Amino acid sequence: MSTKPFNLSTTESFQESAAAKSAQNPLPRAIIRPNTYFLLDGEWNFAVDPNDRGLQDGWYLGHKYEHKANWPGSVEEHMAAAKNQQLDQLQKPAWQDKVVVWYEREFKRPEREENTGTSMFQITFGACGYETRVWLNGRLLKTVDGDEVHYGEYTSFSYELNEEHLLPVNWLTVRIADTMDAEIPRGKQESHVYKRGGIWYQTYTGAVRSVWLETVERNRLRSRIGVQSIIEDSMVRFNFTSRIHDPGMYTLRLNVYEREGATSTIPLATAEYPLRLEAGQKQQYVVMEVPGAQLWCPENPHLYRIVAQLIDANGYSAEIEGHFGMRKIESRGRHIYLNNQEIYIDGILYQPGTATYDEMRRHMYAMKKLGCNLVRVHIAGVDPRIYNLADEIGLLLWVEVPSPHSSTQRSRENHWAELQRMLALIETNPSVIIWSLYNEDWGAQDIATNPATRQYIMDTFHYMKIRYPQFLVVDNDGWQHISFEGKLKSDLLTAHLYTPELERWKEVLDQLCAGQMEGVAAFPLVVGDQYFYRGQAPLIVSEWGGFGFSDYGGPNDLNERAERIAQFKKEMRKRPIAGDVYTQATNIEDERNGIIDPHTGELDVPAGILDSRNTDGNKCTG
C-alpha cells in the first residue's frame, strides 16, 4: 500500500516515486520511505536571546521576532545577518561562552484524502544543535526517543505529532543553544580550550540541515538499517528498529533487488519473520541469504536495494527502503584485507567545514579523481547522502567521532552519546570501514597518565568489536594508542608524520617500520603497558604532507608540491606500510594545504597523483 498525499493548500507537496527516490534523494537521510513530506526549509522568524530569557518569559507562547533567517543555515550566519556584519567580523568576539537563538514559522494543517488511523504526522530535523527544544503551538514536544531536549548537532531526530493539537494554522518554535564548552563533542570547532586559528575553525552550529513534515505509520520500522555481511556464505545480518503504538503480531518481510534495476518487481531474495511486538521500540536482528551475491569494493561498488515491510495482522504495511553492499574488512598482521584480498589504502584527509551538500558532492568526485580509494572524514558528521554517494562511486570511508576538547567524566559521557547517535545512522553504508574514537588525544589529553581515560577507550573499543564487527576501530589516531598487557587496543597502528624534507621522511619511515615507539611522531605511539611491535598490526601513516600550510612546511608551488607528493608516496610503498592518508583535500580557513578547489572541485595537482596501487596491481575486483 502507499500513503495518500496530503494537501498543504497553497504550499506545494508531492509524493516520490520509487524511481525518483533511487535516482535522487532530496532529503538528508540515508533510508527512505514511500510517504508524503513537505520541506519546512526557507524563511523563518529569528531572534537572538542574549540574556537567555526566552524560556522564563515564554517566547514559545508568543514573541515578536525582529529578524528573518533562512533555514538551513548556521547560527553564526544568522547572527551576522541580524547585525549586518560579515561572519568573520561576528566571530571575533561575538560569543565566547554561550549563544541562545529562537526560530519560528507557520504551516497550515495538512489535509489527507482519507484517514484510516494507521498513520500520523512527524517532524524530522536533519541536524540541529547542539541543544534543541521544539514547541508546536506552544506545547513542548518530545522526540521519538522520549527526550524534551535533543543534544548533538550532527545527526537527525524526529517528533511525532498529536493530531488533536494541530490547528488550521500552526506555529513551530525552535530554541537552539550552544556554548564553547570543551566537554561536548566539537570536532575542530573552537572552544574554551582551543581558540580559532591555525587548525582550529570557527563554530558552525544551529539549523544546519533541512527540516521536514512527513507522514509515518503508527506501527513502523524506523529509518535505520544495520548491515553485517557474511560474504563466505552470501548472507546478510540486518538489524531493524521497530516503533510500535499498537502491540500485537507483525510480519517483517524483506525483499532484495539489484539496485540498478530499481523498478524491477522480481526480488533476488525474499524472507519473512513473524514478530510479536510490544509498544515502544525494539531492535531485531534477522539473517537472510542473497544467493550468488556480488561483492562491493571501490573498483566494483555493487549495491543491492533492500525493501523492508512491517505488516500488521490486518495486512497493513509500513515500508522503508535502503541499499547495502556485501563486503568484509579485516586487519591481519601487517595488512588490511577487503573481501579477503589485501588492499593498500590510498587515502586523503577531508574536512568538510562549512561546505554545502553540492560542494561536498564535487569534493567526493574530485578525491576519487585524485586516485584515492579512501576518504578520512575528519572528526565531523556530514549529510547522510554523502555516505550514500561514497557507496555508489566506490570510495571507502574512515569516519570519526567529533571530539570533545577536555578529558573528564562528563566529556566521556558526551563522547559515548555522540558515538551512539552516529552509529544508529551510519550502520548501513558498505563504504564505511574504519571508525576512530579519538584523534591525537583531543578530549583524552591524559591518556598516558589517567587509567580512567584508558579504561573508557578500551571498553568502547571492545564494545565496537562485539557490536559492530563490520568496522575496523582505531582507539586514538595519530599517536598514544593504548596497550593493555602488551596487546594493542586498536585494529591499526597509526601515525601522524609531518616533515617537508625527503631525507628526514625516509628516516622516520624506517623508524616506524622498525617498531620504534618514541621519537617518530609528536608523542609516543603507544602508552599504557609495554608494547613490542613485530608486524602484528597494519601500519597506517594516517596524516602526512600538509604541504603549503605554514606549520607543516614544504613547497607552495603546485608543481613542486606534486613532485614532493609523488616522492613521499614512493618511499612509503617501498616499506611494509598498509596505507596512508594525505593531508588534505581542500583549504579551510587558515589551513591552506588543499589540492582541490573548495568551491568548484577542480584539481590543483595532476589526476591520479595519490593512486599508488597501479605499481603492484593491488586492487580488489569484488
Side-chain angles (χ1 to χ4, degrees):
M1 60 82 56
S2 61
T3 306
K4 293 289 185 181
F6 53 80
N7 185 357
L8 286 156
S9 301
T10 58
T11 308
E12 181 182 3
S13 68
F14 59 91
Q15 186 169 10
E16 301 168 288
S17 67
K21 287 187 298 180
S22 297
Q24 182 180 15
N25 176 14
L27 298 177
R29 57 185 182 182
I31 306 299
I32 56 180
R33 57 178 76 243
N35 62 358
T36 54
Y37 67 86
F38 166 60
L39 275 170
L40 295 174
D41 293 351
E43 188 176 81
W44 287 56
N45 296 319
F46 174 74
V48 180
D49 187 0
N51 300 314
D52 196 10
R53 296 279 304 178
L55 283 175
Q56 181 177 334
D57 294 345
W59 286 14
Y60 48 88
L61 297 174
H63 180 70
K64 183 177 181 180
Y65 290 84
E66 299 177 359
H67 306 288
K68 302 290 184 180
N70 194 66
W71 192 309
S74 71
V75 164
E76 293 77 13
E77 292 170 340
H78 297 156
M79 289 173 65
K83 294 188 176 184
N84 295 314
Q85 288 181 299
Q86 296 295 320
L87 181 56
D88 59 352
Q89 295 174 335
L90 181 77
Q91 277 299 110
K92 288 190 180 160
W95 62 282
Q96 294 300 319
D97 184 34
K98 182 176 182 179
V99 62
V100 179
V101 294
W102 292 72
Y103 296 81
E104 191 170 277
R105 66 154 290 165
E106 292 184 349
F107 65 91
K108 293 183 179 180
R109 179 189 176 100
E111 297 177 1
R112 289 181 289 202
E113 293 182 7
E114 62 182 52
N115 186 1
T116 61
T118 56
S119 63
M120 60 176 57
F121 295 115
Q122 177 173 280
I123 289 177
T124 298
F125 290 76
C128 185
Y130 179 73
E131 177 188 315
T132 307
R133 288 177 170 88
V134 179
W135 292 261
L136 175 67
N137 301 330
R139 295 176 181 268
L140 181 64
L141 300 180
K142 288 186 179 181
T143 69
V144 172
D145 296 308
D147 300 320
E148 292 185 350
V149 182
H150 172 78
Y151 295 99
E153 58 185 74
Y154 299 102
T155 54
S156 64
F157 53 100
S158 300
Y159 300 88
E160 295 174 344
L161 304 186
N162 185 334
E163 292 192 43
E164 294 179 357
H165 299 158
L166 287 172
L167 305 173
V169 177
N170 303 272
W171 75 93
L172 188 68
T173 310
V174 181
R175 177 189 182 271
I176 301 172
D178 207 345
T179 71
M180 293 288 184
D181 186 349
E183 292 181 307
I184 66 175
R186 307 199 63 81
K188 289 185 72 171
Q189 299 182 60
E190 67 173 320
S191 69
H192 291 310
V193 172
Y194 299 119
K195 297 301 182 181
R196 182 183 179 189
I199 65 169
W200 301 103
Y201 310 145
Q202 69 184 41
T203 58
Y204 184 77
T205 187
V208 293
R209 286 189 211 141
S210 292
V211 55
W212 62 94
L213 173 68
E214 63 183 329
T215 54
V216 296
E217 294 78 10
R218 283 174 51 82
N219 306 297
R220 64 190 183 277
L221 300 171
R222 294 199 65 184
S223 299
R224 53 188 63 172
I225 304 175
V227 179
Q228 298 172 9
S229 303
I230 306 108
I231 65 171
E232 291 82 1
D233 296 321
S234 296
M235 299 187 75
V236 190
R237 180 184 295 117
F238 293 110
N239 182 21
F240 293 96
T241 303
S242 57
R243 172 73 174 170
I244 301 298
H245 286 267
D246 306 306
M249 286 299 302
Y250 291 83
T251 299
L252 174 62
R253 178 183 295 157
L254 305 182
N255 286 305
V256 173
Y257 304 84
E258 287 284 358
R259 179 122 189 284
E260 291 305 313
T263 58
S264 170
T265 58
I266 302 176
L268 298 174
T270 186
E272 291 190 355
Y273 311 86
L275 299 173
R276 179 174 295 279
L277 297 175
E278 302 298 329
Q281 294 189 175
K282 177 179 174 57
Q283 292 190 36
Q284 179 69 50
Y285 283 93
V286 295
V287 178
M288 71 180 299
E289 183 180 1
V290 184
Q294 294 189 49
L295 302 185
W296 183 99
C297 74
E299 286 71 35
N300 180 36
H302 193 91
L303 293 172
Y304 294 96
R305 185 165 62 101
I306 174 72
V307 177
Q309 298 171 310
L310 189 66
I311 306 168
D312 68 16
N314 297 317
Y316 187 87
S317 173
E319 181 178 305
I320 60 173
E321 178 183 321
H323 68 254
F324 70 95
M326 300 286 290
R327 70 107 180 103
K328 176 184 179 182
I329 193 74
E330 290 180 290
S331 64
R332 285 190 249 140
R334 292 184 182 273
H335 305 292
I336 295 174
Y337 292 84
L338 179 63
N339 302 333
N340 296 320
Q341 296 183 37
E342 181 187 331
I343 184 174
Y344 184 87
I345 296 298
D346 280 321
I348 190 167
L349 190 77
Y350 178 50
Q351 306 190 85
T354 59
T356 65
Y357 169 66
D358 287 335
E359 287 172 338
M360 285 190 284
R361 279 183 58 88
R362 289 193 282 271
H363 298 163
M364 296 295 282
Y365 282 108
M367 290 184 281
K368 182 83 171 179
K369 190 175 179 181
L370 284 170
C372 298
N373 63 359
L374 178 139
V375 174
R376 183 177 162 215
V377 183
H378 195 32
I379 52 177
V382 297
D383 190 309
R385 291 173 293 183
I386 294 300
Y387 303 122
N388 284 6
L389 178 63
D391 296 339
E392 294 164 4
I393 67 176
L395 270 174
L396 301 168
L397 294 181
W398 180 336
V399 300
E400 304 174 322
V401 184
S403 57
H405 290 178
S406 64
S407 183
T408 65
Q409 178 63 29
R410 178 171 173 263
S411 79
R412 291 188 282 274
E413 291 170 356
N414 288 331
H415 178 276
W416 174 261
E418 188 67 43
L419 173 65
Q420 295 303 311
R421 288 189 289 264
M422 293 180 71
L423 283 167
L425 299 176
I426 315 177
E427 199 188 345
T428 307
N429 305 92
S431 56
V432 178
I433 63 166
I434 304 172
W435 279 78
S436 282
L437 303 179
Y438 285 89
N439 175 76
E440 292 186 355
D441 63 50
W442 301 339
Q445 294 90 336
D446 56 358
I447 190 171
T449 59
N450 188 348
T453 299
R454 292 198 298 277
Q455 190 64 53
Y456 167 72
I457 296 174
M458 288 192 294
D459 290 345
T460 306
F461 173 77
H462 293 150
Y463 166 81
M464 291 287 289
K465 296 310 298 179
I466 294 171
R467 179 65 175 74
Y468 300 96
Q470 68 269 43
F471 304 127
L472 300 180
V473 182
V474 178
D475 55 349
N476 178 47
D477 187 56
W479 49 68
Q480 298 197 114
H481 298 278
I482 298 172
S483 168
F484 181 75
E485 297 179 346
K487 186 173 183 179
L488 195 67
K489 295 303 176 179
S490 176
D491 287 319
L492 308 173
L493 182 57
T494 66
H496 295 177
L497 308 179
Y498 287 107
T499 176
E501 303 300 330
L502 183 59
E503 291 306 312
R504 174 58 181 160
W505 180 245
K506 296 177 184 178
E507 180 183 352
V508 170
L509 291 180
D510 287 338
Q511 293 171 344
L512 176 67
C513 295
Q516 184 172 320
M517 294 292 105
E518 297 191 19
V520 178
F523 291 88
L525 286 184
V526 178
V527 297
D529 294 333
Q530 287 183 285
Y531 179 74
F532 304 97
Y533 182 73
R534 298 295 186 269
Q536 65 269 44
L539 290 175
I540 304 287
V541 182
S542 53
E543 287 187 28
W544 67 276
F547 303 137
F549 181 45
S550 58
D551 286 5
Y552 299 149
N556 286 305
D557 178 80
L558 290 175
N559 291 329
E560 292 182 24
R561 190 184 302 186
E563 178 62 27
R564 191 71 56 89
I565 291 171
Q567 291 172 337
F568 276 45
K569 288 282 287 189
K570 183 178 180 180
E571 291 301 324
M572 282 188 287
R573 292 315 308 268
K574 290 179 180 178
R575 292 164 172 82
I577 291 172
D580 67 84
V581 179
Y582 181 76
T583 305
Q584 65 182 343
T586 63
N587 294 337
I588 180 167
E589 297 194 28
D590 297 338
E591 206 168 353
R592 316 295 292 181
N593 52 6
I595 53 179
I596 299 170
D597 185 283
H599 302 297
T600 68
E602 295 295 318
L603 302 185
D604 293 331
V605 294
I609 194 171
L610 294 178
D611 186 352
S612 68
R613 290 156 288 150
N614 287 325
T615 61
D616 58 8
N618 177 218
K619 294 190 177 185
C620 71
T621 60

